[in-house]
Amino acid sequence: MDVGHFLYERVGFIRQLYMTSAATYIERKRLIDAGEAPFEPPYSEDGEPPFLVEWLEADDSLHVLGYACLSMLSDTMKVFFDAWQREARVRDDPSLDKVFKKNGFVQGYRALFEKSLGIRFADSKVDMLLLEQVVMARNRIQHQEYLGSNRPSHSQADLNRLHNPFFMDKQERSLLVREKKNGTSIWLMAPRVSVTGTQLLTVLKEVERFSTWMDKAMQKVGERRGKRLHEKP
């Protein structure tokens, strides 16, 4: 099975799905901001921006679309690791069950492949914490706690671990965080999970970079195994 090929196919599908589906909402926001038809500003003295409800609805829609794509990406990454485990004939290691359960499947597979195959994810030069944040954000998206919003907030546990979460609006961070002299942060309230087009495209590219590296790392594993078999008397 060409694991890398199918990873690229799925990531490419996610990319085109977002870009095609987002176009309508991006255009609606642009029309409202520009005051173009059918969103010409009516005369009003109440001071509220015209078509605010429609603008916020389009903005929320873009984030929810990003959530769907990020969830697909998280599942794709899980299937990607599963596929390589099967291809490399690596058995589950009960001693690593706690790593999977406590730290998530990215760190779990990192430990499994390093122990079983000598593959070190750190050698990829890919931002593995960013890939972990895909899974963390997906968990918040899939397990929302508040009915009154389409957008979930980061958990306190995630904020304690991540000084500056990637999937967060920079403006929200500037309004909600207070920096302490020792480098820690105090959050006035938990920021919402943000998945913009730029954020999504950035992480999609990083997943592709990791897949390219993984292909080469697994090829070396195959070469080592072949060499050992050839050297056997």
Side-chain angles (χ1 to χ4, degrees), residues 174-205:
S174 66
L175 294 173
L176 298 178
V177 73
R178 295 292 181 268
E179 303 287 356
K180 298 180 69 174
K181 292 182 179 180
N182 62 1
T184 60
S185 302
I186 297 177
W187 294 90
L188 303 181
M189 60 183 295
R192 295 174 298 176
V193 176
S194 165
V195 183
T196 65
T198 299
Q199 290 166 324
L200 180 65
L201 295 177
T202 297
V203 76
L204 289 175
K205 185 176 181 180

Side-chain angles (χ1 to χ4, degrees), residues 72-139:
M72 291 177 64
L73 181 61
S74 178
D75 290 343
T76 295
M77 289 165 51
K78 179 63 166 59
V79 175
F80 169 79
F81 286 125
D82 286 345
W84 269 127
Q85 182 180 357
R86 291 193 302 272
E87 289 292 308
R89 301 186 300 278
V90 174
R91 296 181 178 179
D92 290 337
D93 188 334
S95 70
L96 299 177
D97 286 349
K98 289 184 179 180
V99 179
F100 277 91
K101 185 174 182 180
K102 182 178 179 180
N103 300 323
F105 70 76
V106 175
Q107 287 204 34
Y109 280 109
R110 176 199 61 74
L112 179 64
F113 289 152
E114 183 169 346
K115 182 177 180 180
S116 302
L117 303 174
I119 291 177
R120 298 179 67 254
F121 286 4
D123 294 340
S124 70
K125 308 303 181 184
V126 169
D127 187 349
M128 298 308 298
L129 181 57
L130 178 57
L131 302 195
E132 288 184 52
Q133 289 188 65
V134 171
V135 183
M136 295 165 69
R138 178 263 178 197
N139 291 339

